Amino acid sequence: MPAGVVVAAVRERSPAARAALRPGDRIVAINGQALRDVIDFHFHAGQEQLRLSLEREGRKRAAVLRRAGPDLGLELEAPRPGEIDTCSNKCVFFIHQLPRGMRRSLYVKDDDFRLSFLHGNYITLTDLEEHELTRIEAQRLSPLYVSVHATDPELRHRLLGQPRLRRELLPIMERLTKAGILMHAQIVLVPEWNDGAALERSVRELVHLHPGVATVAVVPVGLTRHRERLPQLRAHTAEEARALAATIAGWQRELLGTLGTRFVWASDEVYLHAGLPVPAATSYEGFPVIEDGVGLVRRFSDGFAATRRRLARPFPRPRHVTVVTGTLFAPRMRRLVESAPTENLTITVAPIVNDWFGHGIGVAGLLTAHDIQSQLAGRELGDLVLVPQVALSEKAGVFLDDLTLDDVSARLGVPVRAVEPSAAALVTALLGR
């Protein structure tokens, strides 16, 4: 693996531009400190004057970058698949249930502590080597996001697909806690595997690591139709989802009194599947793991209630917008839209059934262009179709099945636009801005 980091873009009239940096430059050292990756870059780039050692078109160069504030004005390339530490586990519920024909990057099972620190990716921790643990401690790479699933060593080993490398999780988490590393834990809950008494044991043992372990998110397993030669699993029933929500509410009441925090949360899918109202915003304590689907529905609902009055102004001409979402959230989205006072604005909520992965997958983030195209083709869609941004890759704007917004627009014959998962962004798009 080549050392250093590669410059992806340089903003005009920025410190990086004044240092004559160019896209494609490989920065291999800062002030004499060799760089392994982007974390090393940020770790060593805190001084006002940075002496950079570069490689440009095969030649070594030097540059001096002088800060004029926190922003250096350069963007670094993301690591390529071959530069990412991959997972040696074969979790019974994870990547092996993906179909063919998707973005290549989706088949990379990352288990890289750097991506956990930089982007909030969940890692198992038990694939880490000693030098990696030492680096986490030395550079204080916090917070990290940990796929726990179960604290019972035997059960966790089975959930991870019985990998050859067998290490216990809790001693590693205890070590990181003592080093001052904050962690957010995730438990993907599989009925008849790690629920019930096993879930309670996991929560209780993680409580002992608080405040090092700051949160625990309980997420119900999502199962696709592509599970040939994989363990037989099943999804939660609505009754089980209601029981799980009640159990977690009981733990929250208890832990709020003993720890001063609710500590453990159910993901939004639990409440949607159970047909229950999502908890109030205050119960999410600032939404620390909203990217894991914990509290996103509550924040969106409250945000829409606060901003829907912007839709009250009459439009000069009739406007019709189709809003795409998953089947799980569609009923609530429809109720929100119906509550908005509109004149000359027609909003159609279009729930997309997930034929690509299977009808058991109802979240918007796993919608594909193929399903959107096939289910909306021939329908009256109006002036614009809005699709959730979470269904596309962050930078390239590509759906999971490797198609783009332009592909979908060409097929449907109307403009198609991606919208961030916030009420304000949705309302702005509905207004045509």
Side-chain angles (χ1 to χ4, degrees):
M1 184 186 304
V5 295
V6 177
V7 176
V10 176
R11 196 174 65 252
E12 293 182 2
R13 295 186 294 276
S14 67
R18 288 190 289 273
L21 294 182
R22 300 179 187 174
D25 286 349
R26 181 177 293 277
I27 305 173
V28 296
I30 296 178
N31 294 336
Q33 298 291 328
L35 304 183
R36 292 164 288 189
D37 48 41
V38 65
I39 292 178
D40 275 353
F41 177 88
H42 291 295
F43 188 77
H44 295 295
Q47 300 180 38
E48 290 188 8
Q49 180 170 296
L50 307 176
R51 292 179 291 104
L52 307 180
S53 300
L54 311 174
E55 292 178 0
R56 178 183 296 167
E57 298 176 350
R59 296 184 178 182
K60 295 182 179 181
R61 291 177 175 268
V64 176
L65 194 157
R66 293 178 175 84
R67 282 185 172 276
D71 186 6
L72 296 175
L74 81 166
E75 179 182 339
L76 302 176
E77 284 189 3
R80 296 178 174 87
E83 300 171 345
I84 295 173
D85 289 340
T86 56
C87 185
S88 62
N89 303 306
K90 297 181 179 179
C91 296
V92 297
F93 47 77
F94 193 47
I95 202 166
H96 302 284
Q97 59 174 342
L98 296 181
R100 295 180 179 179
M102 301 174 65
R103 292 199 311 263
R104 291 180 60 186
S105 61
L106 296 171
Y107 301 101
V108 177
K109 299 189 302 175
D110 73 86
D111 200 19
D112 196 314
F113 70 93
R114 298 168 299 179
L115 298 184
S116 183
F117 170 67
L118 291 170
H119 304 299
N121 293 16
Y122 280 88
I123 57 173
T124 65
L125 283 185
T126 43
D127 275 350
L128 291 179
E129 298 182 14
E130 176 59 31
H131 72 89
E132 294 173 313
L133 286 168
T134 301
R135 182 182 178 189
I136 290 171
E137 294 167 331
Q139 293 187 325
R140 301 294 292 249
L141 303 183
S142 176
L144 295 178
Y145 297 78
V146 183
S147 295
V148 172
H149 308 320
T151 56
D152 178 332
E154 290 295 329
L155 174 56
R156 188 171 192 263
H157 187 64
R158 286 198 296 124
L159 286 165
L160 296 183
Q162 300 182 343
R164 181 179 55 83
L165 179 63
R166 188 170 187 151
R167 295 173 67 189
E168 290 195 20
L169 173 66
L170 287 180
I172 299 174
M173 297 184 75
E174 289 170 0
R175 170 179 171 175
L176 293 177
T177 295
K178 291 177 181 177
I181 306 301
L182 190 73
M183 288 168 282
H184 296 284
Q186 181 193 66
I187 296 174
V188 174
L189 202 63
V190 184
E192 301 173 5
W193 280 66
N194 60 340
D195 55 355
L199 175 62
E200 177 152 13
R201 171 177 173 174
S202 297
V203 171
R204 298 296 179 189
E205 291 187 333
L206 291 171
V207 163
H208 291 307
L209 297 179
H210 182 77
V213 174
T215 68
V216 177
V218 180
V219 181
V221 65
L223 302 175
T224 78
R225 62 184 177 88
H226 306 277
R227 293 192 55 80
E228 297 83 1
R229 297 185 298 276
L230 292 176
Q232 292 296 313
L233 308 179
R234 67 173 180 84
H236 290 82
T237 65
E239 183 178 353
E240 287 172 330
R242 287 190 287 271
L244 175 61
T247 297
I248 290 177
W251 289 337
Q252 288 181 332
R253 288 190 293 270
E254 172 195 339
L255 296 173
L256 190 59
T258 57
L259 298 182
T261 174
R262 292 168 179 82
F263 185 67
V264 57
W265 283 270
S267 73
D268 295 348
E269 294 171 63
V270 174
Y271 302 100
L272 295 175
H273 189 46
L276 295 172
V278 293
T282 53
S283 70
Y284 287 102
E285 300 180 15
F287 301 96
V289 283
I290 196 166
E291 296 298 330
D292 203 23
V294 178
L296 191 60
V297 170
R298 170 50 61 199
R299 191 167 72 174
F300 186 93
S301 300
D302 289 355
F304 193 86
T307 59
R308 65 185 179 184
R309 64 180 180 274
R310 293 170 55 197
L311 298 172
R313 67 172 181 82
F315 285 77
R317 63 176 182 82
R319 176 175 170 81
H320 180 192
V321 180
T322 297
V323 179
V324 167
T325 188
T327 55
L328 200 58
F329 185 57
R332 301 199 183 210
M333 174 70 87
R334 190 173 283 117
R335 287 197 294 271
L336 290 172
V337 166
E338 290 172 351
S339 71
T342 60
E343 184 177 337
N344 265 355
L345 174 62
T346 301
I347 306 171
T348 300
V349 175
I352 301 299
V353 176
N354 203 319
D355 293 325
W356 184 273
F357 287 107
H359 295 180
I361 304 297
V363 296
L366 293 178
L367 294 179
T368 62
H370 280 93
D371 284 343
I372 295 171
Q373 291 175 160
S374 64
Q375 294 175 40
L376 295 188
R379 293 174 54 174
E380 176 55 49
L381 301 173
D383 304 289
L384 177 68
V385 173
L386 300 177
V387 299
Q389 179 68 53
V390 292
L392 294 100
S393 62
E394 185 175 348
K395 288 191 176 181
V398 178
F399 285 93
L400 296 169
D401 50 354
D402 215 21
L403 297 179
T404 67
L405 289 170
D406 288 342
D407 294 329
V408 179
S409 180
R411 172 73 183 277
L412 298 179
V414 296
V416 179
R417 176 179 166 190
V419 181
E420 292 291 339
S422 73
L426 176 62
V427 169
T428 298
L430 289 172
L431 291 171
R433 299 175 184 169

